[in-house]
């Protein structure tokens, strides 16, 4: 599926480099070369099936992947990259995710959580230096927000900064669960300004920490034995660095809004990672079910097996619709601070589909899939944290409902159906439910009901994007199946929302 590219809006730097040969390639050729390299590394080498058992991506793999310059799609043309076109980034994520979920997350971290925000909010000096490091020296970058005592409560972070007499910034604190711990050359570091009395300001600031420079080394205190995504190192980091004044990113208004713009854009790009993963699951599961015989019949002849495969296929179609919308509406030149509901819906829907598909794949594989060196088992474990990091899905579902409730109160409306039918991101999808959505929303509902309703709304948003893709000529049968599947899911979610919640029994006898 081709997507019209978005032209970058930032002006060219006066001393723009010519860029690498890969950056100057037509995109189709660039993507083909990248796919061929991944296929060789992950499909034809004898040790490919054992690769994910390691605790780090083998150096020959990382070196070979970086030779094709996949991260150049996130770098502006003015600095030697391919232009930062979102559609190209989605295609690279999909190609990567087909072969390795850990590697596609590595690409996503570098692109959405480092290169894009630096390209949008960094000054020319820091952009010139870091982009050159990526293109010429094959360096890597990541984002450090989370702290041991402040995970989801990011705005309460205790990492602080003070400005020295020379104009440099001293950053002090503890960060953990940052992907690429101990490997990244650059960190996009979040901190809060420290007042004279030692208290911290509410706003958040971002700094580029360059570990190749003196005084900017982040000390790894502990490397975590993470359960999944074993190729990506995570850990606890002691931050005590001094960075130049040019390393501070400059928000267009506040640091909190810059963070929202960054995180919303990243969440909108999850469909790229999910698309390749879902396609691989479907291909592997379909092949197995055709070749495996039980009771004299191929597995694929059994109705329940076909139901599982049809569900994964429907999820692929819906994920493609989200990819299309992201490619056209999440450009770095756009302000995404106010698209929280859509961003949260995209991230939660895709990551739930990823885990659901992997569970079906594991079920279809039977005992074989329960081996730690089999793709089905690895896929199940590796896709699970996608529902947790960068905003736990439970929290994001709650936020979706709260966003809708706030808008409904402002409009003095309590009818959910009426509201959703009037919103651009849900209008056509909401009409498909008839009067099922025509109920008043209880503004004082318990948290678990906020989550239940948010889950249903997220799927309605995904249905809207699927309808849009269908109207633009995508296969009508696939669109119909995807909409039918999501409509059934929403009905089940709404039933859960309406059902009386089970209460926790305190001090119950065993």
């Amino acid at each position: 599926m081709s997507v019209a590219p978005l032209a970058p809006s930032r002006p060219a730097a006066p001393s723009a480099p010519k860029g690498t040969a890969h950056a100057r390639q037509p995109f189709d050729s660039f993507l083909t070369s990248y796919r061929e390299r991944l296929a060789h590394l992950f499909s034809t080498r004898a040790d490919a099936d054992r690769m994910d058992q390691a605790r780090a991506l083998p150096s020959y793999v990382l070196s070979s992947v970086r030779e094709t310059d996949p991260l150049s799609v996130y770098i502006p043309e003015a600095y030697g990259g391919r232009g930062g076109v979102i559609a190209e980034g989605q295609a690279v994520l999909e190609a990567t995710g087909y072969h390795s979920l850990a590697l596609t997350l590595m690409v996503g971290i570098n692109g959405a959580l480092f290169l894009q925000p630096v390209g949008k909010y960094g000054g020319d000096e820091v952009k010139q230096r870091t982009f050159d490091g990526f293109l010429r020296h094959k360096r890597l970058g990541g984002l450090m927000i989370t702290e041991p005592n402040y995970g989801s409560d990011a705005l309460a972070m205790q990492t602080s900064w003070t400005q020295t007499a020379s104009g440099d910034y001293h950053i002090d604190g503890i960060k953990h669960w940052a992907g690429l711990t101990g490997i990244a050359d650059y960190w996009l570091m979040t901190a809060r300004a420290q007042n004279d009395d030692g208290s911290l300001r509410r706003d958040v600031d971002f700094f580029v920490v360059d570990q190749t420079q003196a005084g900017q080394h982040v000390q790894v205190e502990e490397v975590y034995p993470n359960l999944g995504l074993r190729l990506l190192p995570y850990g606890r980091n002691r931050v005590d660095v001094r960075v130049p004044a040019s390393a501070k990113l400059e928000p267009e208004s506040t640091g909190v809004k810059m963070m929202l713009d960054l995180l919303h854009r990243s969440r909108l790009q999850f469909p790229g990672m999910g698309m390749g993963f879902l396609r691989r699951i479907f291909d592997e599961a379909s092949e197995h079910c055709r070749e495996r015989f039980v009771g004299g019949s191929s597995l694929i002849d059994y109705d329940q097996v076909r139901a599982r495969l049809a569900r994964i296929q429907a999820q692929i179609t819906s994920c493609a619709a989200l990819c299309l919308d992201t490619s056209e509406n999440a450009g770095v030149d756009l302000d995404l601070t106010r698209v929280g509901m859509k961003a949260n819906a995209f991230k939660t829907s895709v990551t739930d589909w990823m885990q659901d598909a992997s569970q079906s794949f594991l079920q279809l594989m039977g005992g074989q899939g329960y081996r730690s060196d089999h793709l089905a088992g690895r896929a199940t474990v590796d896709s699970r944290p996608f529902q947790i990091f960068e905003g736990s899905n439970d929290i994001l579902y709650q936020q979706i409902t709260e966003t809708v409730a706030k808008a409904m109160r402002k409009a003095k409306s309590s009818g959910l159906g009426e509201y959703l039918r009037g919103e651009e991101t849900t209008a056509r999808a909401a009409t498909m439910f008839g009067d099922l959505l025509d109920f008043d929303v209880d503004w004082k509902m318990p948290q678990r009901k906020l989550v239940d309703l948010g889950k249903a709304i997220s799927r309605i948003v995904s249905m809207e994007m699927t309808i849009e893709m269908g109207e633009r000529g995508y296969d009508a049968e696939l669109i119909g199946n995807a909409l039918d599947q999501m409509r059934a899911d929403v009905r089940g979610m709404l039933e859960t929302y309406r059902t009386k919640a089970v209460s926790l029994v305190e001090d119950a006898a065993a």
Side-chain angles (χ1 to χ4, degrees):
M1 180 177 60
S2 61
V3 180
L6 299 175
S9 63
R10 296 186 72 86
S15 57
K18 294 181 180 179
T20 65
H22 297 293
R24 297 192 298 272
Q25 267 186 299
F27 184 65
D28 287 346
S29 300
F30 171 86
L31 189 60
T32 297
S33 297
Y34 182 57
R35 283 175 171 157
E36 290 173 349
R37 180 65 56 89
L38 290 171
H40 169 70
L41 290 170
F42 289 91
S43 301
T44 62
R45 290 189 61 108
D47 57 355
D49 285 339
R50 296 190 298 272
M51 192 181 299
D52 279 351
Q53 298 302 298
R55 272 292 172 190
L57 195 68
S59 58
Y60 74 85
V61 174
L62 185 57
S63 175
S64 185
V65 168
R66 292 305 306 276
E67 284 177 2
T68 62
D69 270 343
L71 299 179
S72 65
V73 299
Y74 297 101
I75 297 175
E77 252 185 310
Y79 296 90
R82 293 196 56 85
V85 178
I86 295 292
E88 291 190 3
Q90 289 291 94
V92 165
L93 287 173
E94 178 187 352
T96 315
Y98 189 87
H99 294 281
S100 170
L101 195 55
L103 184 59
T104 198
L105 180 56
M106 181 182 291
V107 173
I109 289 170
N110 276 271
L113 299 180
F114 185 84
L115 291 169
Q116 286 177 344
V118 170
K120 180 168 184 176
Y121 296 106
D124 185 63
E125 183 179 338
V126 72
K127 286 191 289 189
Q128 193 82 52
R129 185 171 62 249
T130 55
F131 293 157
D132 186 69
F134 271 82
L135 294 173
R136 299 186 187 279
H137 305 294
K138 310 305 179 188
R139 290 173 180 161
L140 296 170
L143 172 67
M144 283 190 173
I145 294 180
T146 307
E147 300 181 4
N149 295 319
Y150 304 95
S152 299
D153 190 14
L155 295 181
M157 69 181 70
Q158 295 301 294
T159 300
S160 63
W161 66 262
T162 54
Q163 195 162 19
T164 66
S166 64
D168 292 349
Y169 294 99
H170 176 217
I171 307 172
D172 182 79
I174 301 287
K175 297 289 188 182
H176 78 159
W177 283 117
L180 303 177
T181 290
I183 290 181
D185 303 284
Y186 304 106
W187 288 109
L188 189 55
M189 186 77 62
T190 58
R192 298 162 65 197
Q194 187 177 85
N195 297 312
D196 293 338
D197 62 0
S199 62
L200 301 181
R201 298 176 193 169
R202 176 171 172 76
D203 205 14
V204 177
D205 293 293
F206 288 76
F207 302 86
V208 175
V209 176
D210 182 352
Q211 295 206 101
T212 68
Q213 301 299 309
Q216 298 189 45
H217 179 69
V218 175
Q219 180 183 354
V220 179
E221 293 186 334
E222 179 186 1
V223 176
Y224 296 155
N226 39 298
L227 176 64
L229 298 170
R230 294 165 65 96
L231 296 182
L232 280 181
Y234 292 88
R236 177 185 175 97
N237 303 271
R238 180 71 178 91
V239 182
D240 184 4
V241 299
R242 284 170 172 76
V243 300
S246 61
K248 185 173 181 289
L249 301 192
E250 294 302 327
E252 294 173 355
S253 55
T254 67
V256 170
K257 288 186 176 180
M258 178 167 59
M259 179 183 285
L260 288 175
D261 180 58
L262 179 162
L263 292 177
H264 290 167
R265 183 171 291 101
S266 177
R267 289 169 187 167
L268 287 169
Q269 292 174 82
F270 269 66
M273 292 187 285
M275 188 66 181
F277 175 80
L278 290 170
R279 284 182 50 241
R280 176 67 180 278
I281 294 296
F282 182 76
D283 289 350
E284 296 283 347
S286 298
E287 181 180 7
H288 170 75
C289 292
R290 287 188 173 90
E291 296 178 353
R292 173 72 167 165
F293 283 78
V294 175
S297 296
S298 170
L299 272 182
I300 203 164
D301 293 331
Y302 288 90
D303 183 62
Q304 175 61 17
V305 171
R306 297 183 71 84
R308 287 189 179 276
L309 292 175
R311 182 173 178 84
I312 300 172
Q313 187 179 60
Q315 291 164 343
I316 292 171
T317 301
S318 300
C319 191
L322 304 192
C323 283
L324 176 61
D325 186 84
T326 291
S327 296
E328 297 182 340
N329 299 299
V332 179
D333 57 313
L334 302 175
D335 178 7
L336 302 184
T337 57
R338 297 182 181 274
V339 299
M341 188 183 86
K342 185 166 85 166
N344 291 352
F346 277 33
K347 190 268 185 183
T348 51
S349 293
V350 169
T351 55
D352 279 0
W353 294 335
M354 290 166 66
Q355 176 65 191
D356 184 73
S358 69
Q359 291 284 356
S360 278
F361 183 29
L362 185 61
Q363 188 74 24
L364 293 170
M365 290 304 306
Q368 183 181 351
Y370 201 61
R371 293 171 52 123
S372 64
D373 61 351
H374 192 279
L375 178 62
R378 293 202 312 271
T380 303
V381 175
D382 286 350
S383 63
R384 184 63 179 91
F386 279 71
Q387 296 173 297
I388 300 171
F389 63 62
E390 205 168 315
S392 167
N393 281 13
D394 279 358
I395 294 175
L396 298 186
Y397 283 135
Q398 177 181 338
Q399 290 178 355
I400 288 171
T401 301
E402 289 173 342
T403 298
V404 169
K406 181 178 178 181
M408 289 175 64
R409 282 196 296 266
K410 185 176 180 180
K412 298 186 176 172
S413 169
S414 59
L416 181 65
E418 179 184 6
Y419 173 79
L420 293 179
R421 288 189 290 269
E423 289 298 302
E424 183 180 3
T425 55
T426 53
R428 289 168 293 184
T431 62
M432 297 182 69
F433 291 92
D435 59 2
L436 187 66
L437 297 172
D438 291 334
F439 58 86
D440 291 343
V441 175
D442 178 8
W443 307 124
K444 297 181 180 179
M445 71 182 86
Q447 185 183 30
R448 70 183 70 182
K449 295 304 179 182
L450 291 170
V451 173
D452 291 340
L453 188 55
K455 188 176 292 188
I457 294 171
S458 77
R459 300 306 190 269
I460 295 173
V461 172
S462 298
M463 287 178 66
E464 186 71 23
M465 305 305 151
T466 306
I467 292 170
E468 170 66 22
M469 188 171 74
E471 292 181 348
R472 293 167 64 167
Y474 199 83
D475 185 280
E477 188 172 7
L478 290 175
I479 292 292
N481 286 348
L483 291 174
D484 286 345
Q485 184 64 69
M486 281 192 285
R487 184 160 45 189
D489 289 346
V490 170
R491 289 178 180 273
M493 293 165 185
L494 290 176
E495 182 62 29
T496 299
Y497 167 73
R498 292 190 178 98
T499 301
K500 180 182 178 181
V502 176
S503 298
L504 175 66
V505 179
E506 300 285 355
D507 302 320

